[in-house]
Amino acid sequence: MNSTPMNMAYRLLQAEHRPMRYHWFFLCMVMGLLAGCGEAPGIRQYEVTRPEFVERGNVDVPQAPQVELEPATTWGAIWPRGNQAWFFKATASPEAVAGLATKWKEFVASVKFSDGSNPEWTLPEGWSQLPGNQFRFATLVMKDAAGAPIELTVSSLPRSPEQWDSQLDANLSRWKGQLGIGPMESSSVSQTTEKQGDDEVVFVLMQGSRAKGQGMMGGMSAPGTASTANMPAAESGQTKPPAVNEMQKMVEGEIKLTPPAEWKPGKLNAFRKAAYEVTRGDERVEITVIDLAGESGGLLENINRWRDQVGMPAIELAALTSELKNVKTANGPAQLIEIEGSKGQSILGAVLPRGDRTWFVKLQGSTPLAQQEKARFLEFLETSALP
């Protein structure tokens, strides 16, 4: 049966059981169709404004450039002494490490804390020392068998004897991350504790990988690792942290924070720009604000470090994107993550890149209290201004 538009119009007009006004109505419709049969309608384009904030899942994940990797070994000593922890650390090829083993032992044996605060040592033959800076107490330069320089960094951090185990674990996890080792992996890590005078020194040897050429002084950094200029928190220690009252003056001059009245002042140190705490009965949470140079190892490494702190395994980058939210701050959007741990502890953390620095605002503590403080934490983020 022919079902052209013209035949359809004819049949509609012949339907005697419909009133005439319907005949004209349908005829007009069909004639409209006939008028449009000559060509297909054109494609129209519209510009749609992208929403500034999306609650979940709208996270752009840049593709890291392809980097050639090479085997690498990190070795060093973590030396707790009173309220300070000293870090002696170097990374080189496995062959270079083996060749430096004798001189490393010679160096460690010479380290003394004769004045009760800063270390002193005797340099092995062929080693040299560079001046320290705001991140390091000193940089020692060794040479491998081919004469290539290798840095041994010496830095310090404030230490809490009561929380030393968790501080030590956090630093070891960060060192693992720099070699591409998962925070919970132990097969590539050797850790021993030896007595040095009155101190229990932790000696570490880790096998992993790094970007090819990174071992050169001033060389490149692999994605997700920290260079000398972008030193993470555990290495960016100052030999003599400023006094708390001096630091508070520095904070007031740099950032504008509006903490809730329920938050009480917390403990400051050389790296915290601000700290608060909330206590209810036996439950406690701590809120901290710190900034680090550059990307400080990258978003994935920092999130996995937080996950490790509350007993959760590391995740991959693809899984991380679904866990992140974009939230408002006075400086623009930040990336927020909620981590409910396996030890009754949770973390609410916000990461905000600002110029050549990255800001980390974190709430950590008892899971029930962390949930109760979530609304205040988000308000704190939205109203606080960071430089």
Side-chain angles (χ1 to χ4, degrees):
M1 180 181 293
N2 193 340
S3 58
T4 64
M6 187 62 73
N7 286 336
M8 290 171 61
Y10 178 81
R11 288 199 300 274
L12 287 169
L13 289 174
Q14 294 301 315
E16 296 181 352
H17 63 280
R18 298 181 183 272
M20 183 59 68
R21 64 178 180 272
Y22 288 108
H23 294 172
W24 287 108
F25 173 76
F26 285 112
L27 178 61
C28 289
M29 288 181 61
V30 174
M31 295 305 293
L33 290 172
L34 290 172
C37 287
E39 60 182 12
I43 298 176
R44 298 182 180 182
Q45 297 182 347
Y46 300 89
E47 291 187 1
V48 181
T49 301
R50 181 180 180 180
E52 185 178 1
F53 300 103
V54 180
E55 272 297 300
R56 181 178 286 273
N58 185 24
V59 180
D60 295 328
V61 181
Q63 295 296 319
Q66 294 295 320
V67 176
E68 186 177 355
L69 300 179
E70 64 181 2
T73 299
T74 289
W75 84 98
I78 301 177
W79 201 308
R81 187 171 180 81
N83 293 323
Q84 289 288 112
W86 289 87
F87 299 85
F88 300 79
K89 173 175 174 281
T91 300
S93 68
E95 296 78 14
V97 173
L100 290 167
T102 300
K103 289 189 175 182
W104 165 247
K105 292 179 181 179
E106 177 185 340
F107 169 75
V108 171
S110 75
V111 175
K112 300 289 186 295
F113 290 85
S114 57
D115 63 355
S117 56
N118 296 336
E120 299 174 351
W121 51 71
T122 300
L123 291 178
E125 183 180 358
W127 290 25
S128 59
Q129 182 170 334
L130 301 178
N133 55 34
Q134 60 177 327
F135 300 115
R136 298 178 180 179
F137 176 77
T139 299
L140 309 182
V141 180
M142 309 170 282
K143 292 185 178 180
D144 63 16
I150 299 171
E151 288 188 354
L152 171 65
T153 62
V154 182
S155 58
S156 67
L157 277 176
R159 171 179 176 262
S160 171
E162 296 80 11
Q163 301 178 2
W164 175 235
D165 288 344
S166 61
Q167 290 177 342
L168 177 61
D169 288 344
N171 281 284
L172 292 176
S173 292
R174 185 185 53 78
W175 286 10
K176 292 178 185 178
Q178 293 173 355
L179 288 178
I181 305 171
M184 306 303 289
E185 292 182 37
S186 59
S187 58
S188 302
V189 179
S190 172
Q191 177 182 334
T192 60
T193 301
E194 298 180 16
K195 197 81 169 178
Q196 298 287 325
D198 296 330
D199 304 320
E200 297 284 342
V201 180
V202 178
F203 291 91
V204 179
L205 188 68
M206 299 180 178
Q207 306 287 345
S209 60
R210 63 179 176 182
K212 194 169 184 178
Q214 187 181 352
M216 301 170 59
M217 294 179 63
M220 62 174 289
S221 294
T225 65
S227 67
T228 300
N230 297 336
M231 199 173 302
E235 286 232 334
S236 57
Q238 297 179 355
T239 302
K240 294 183 179 179
V244 171
N245 58 343
E246 295 176 351
M247 178 168 289
Q248 189 61 46
K249 293 178 182 178
M250 293 164 54
V251 170
E252 292 172 353
E254 293 180 359
I255 58 181
K256 296 180 180 179
L257 304 177
T258 54
E262 294 81 1
W263 292 5
K264 305 303 179 185
K267 296 180 180 180
L268 293 175
N269 59 31
F271 312 105
R272 295 179 176 183
K273 292 296 188 292
Y276 310 95
E277 62 179 26
V278 182
T279 303
R280 290 178 191 160
D282 296 333
E283 297 183 346
R284 178 178 176 273
V285 296
E286 185 178 39
I287 302 93
T288 56
V289 180
I290 69 171
D291 67 321
L292 299 174
E295 297 181 355
S296 183
L299 180 63
L300 179 63
E301 180 178 324
N302 282 286
I303 297 301
N304 278 331
R305 177 171 53 81
W306 287 353
R307 290 177 63 86
D308 187 52
Q309 290 173 4
V310 292
M312 298 299 290
I315 60 175
E316 300 294 333
L317 185 61
L320 176 61
T321 59
S322 64
E323 298 292 326
L324 291 169
K325 294 180 180 179
N326 284 353
V327 294
K328 293 182 179 180
T329 75
N331 301 103
Q335 294 175 313
L336 176 76
I337 191 163
E338 301 179 47
I339 308 171
E340 184 173 341
S342 61
K343 303 176 181 179
Q345 298 277 306
S346 288
I347 286 178
L348 294 174
V351 182
L352 176 63
R354 292 284 295 164
D356 61 350
R357 305 194 70 77
T358 301
W359 288 83
F360 300 87
V361 185
K362 183 177 72 166
L363 182 152
Q364 180 175 354
S366 167
T367 296
L369 186 54
Q371 290 299 320
Q372 293 176 28
E373 293 299 316
K374 178 180 177 179
R376 292 193 182 99
F377 181 75
L378 294 176
E379 183 179 359
F380 176 68
L381 287 174
E382 188 169 353
T383 58
S384 298
L386 304 174

